[in-house]
Amino acid sequence: MPTLVEPTVAVHRSFLAAWDELRPEEERWMGAETFVGGEEENWTREQAADPAEFERLVDGIRGAADPDAVLVPGIVPYTILWFVDGLEWLGRVSVRHVLTPQLLELGGHIGYCVRPSYRRRGYATEMLVQSLPVAAELGIDPALVTCDADNLASRKVIQAAGGELEDERHGKLRFWVATHTS
């Protein structure tokens, strides 16, 4: 059964294969931007192919979860977890620890992306469900999860995880999802 794990260099090969499947506008989901050390770093696929650079990318992604990390202004601490099956990278979840006014309006606490060749298998729902205890550990309850108003697949994922629709703002549906387990 696939599970969420901290980013790891062990999935380097499949991470690169997944990156190759994404459209350019989806590349941000690969952690192509890191914000640790007060500087933004934009990663390329070619850069990530180098094992030493990939290790730096993984370290940068993991570093953003540290509440004491110095991040780029406007970026909140966030935890990224990778959804893997053995050494196969299937997707990722991002859990923002706090919300700025803009994130409260449009972004939410939790975002997710499934590798194109693994879509339509229920993995997005499983990733979102597995991320809820992580959010709860961060003191988030309920979590705000948003999706584009015309994204029926994402809407179904959020609702399957218990999301309750609050409203639509600027073309985004805003759902609240309980993170506690009772």
Side-chain angles (χ1 to χ4, degrees):
M1 172 69 139
T3 189
L4 290 176
V5 300
E6 287 190 356
T8 173
V9 297
V11 298
H12 188 204
R13 179 203 52 78
S14 64
F15 178 91
L16 295 174
W19 194 324
D20 291 340
E21 294 176 15
L22 296 172
R23 296 184 312 263
E25 64 271 15
E26 294 177 308
E27 287 185 3
R28 65 186 174 89
W29 288 104
M30 302 311 285
E33 296 175 339
T34 56
F35 304 98
V36 180
E39 294 184 23
E40 180 177 357
E41 187 162 1
N42 293 301
W43 296 82
T44 65
R45 162 61 170 82
E46 292 72 27
Q47 210 177 349
D50 177 276
E53 287 296 295
F54 186 68
E55 187 171 355
R56 273 193 345 104
L57 172 63
V58 168
D59 289 345
I61 292 170
R62 291 175 77 161
D66 181 350
D68 297 322
V70 177
L71 301 172
V72 171
I75 300 298
V76 299
Y78 57 92
T79 298
I80 290 179
L81 298 169
W82 288 352
F83 194 62
V84 301
D85 189 3
L87 296 179
E88 199 64 29
W89 192 97
L90 307 178
R92 71 158 248 183
V93 169
S94 178
V95 181
R96 295 179 185 102
H97 300 188
V98 295
L99 298 179
T100 63
Q102 181 180 7
L103 291 173
L104 182 61
E105 193 74 14
L106 298 174
H109 288 103
I110 301 173
Y112 50 87
C113 178
V114 176
R115 177 179 176 172
S117 61
Y118 286 87
R119 291 179 182 165
R120 300 198 182 312
R121 299 183 191 191
Y123 289 150
T125 301
E126 185 60 30
M127 287 178 4
L128 180 54
V129 167
Q130 286 186 30
S131 73
L132 296 175
V134 174
E137 286 179 23
L138 293 166
I140 300 166
D141 189 36
L144 176 63
V145 184
T146 67
C147 68
D148 290 339
D150 62 354
N151 189 337
L152 183 59
S154 235
R155 180 181 189 148
K156 287 180 178 181
V157 164
I158 298 165
Q159 289 173 320
E164 295 289 331
L165 179 64
E166 179 180 41
D167 59 19
E168 179 181 340
R169 299 182 190 177
H170 314 286
K172 295 279 186 183
L173 298 177
R174 299 170 70 254
F175 294 86
W176 292 97
V177 184
T179 64
H180 62 278
T181 54
S182 42

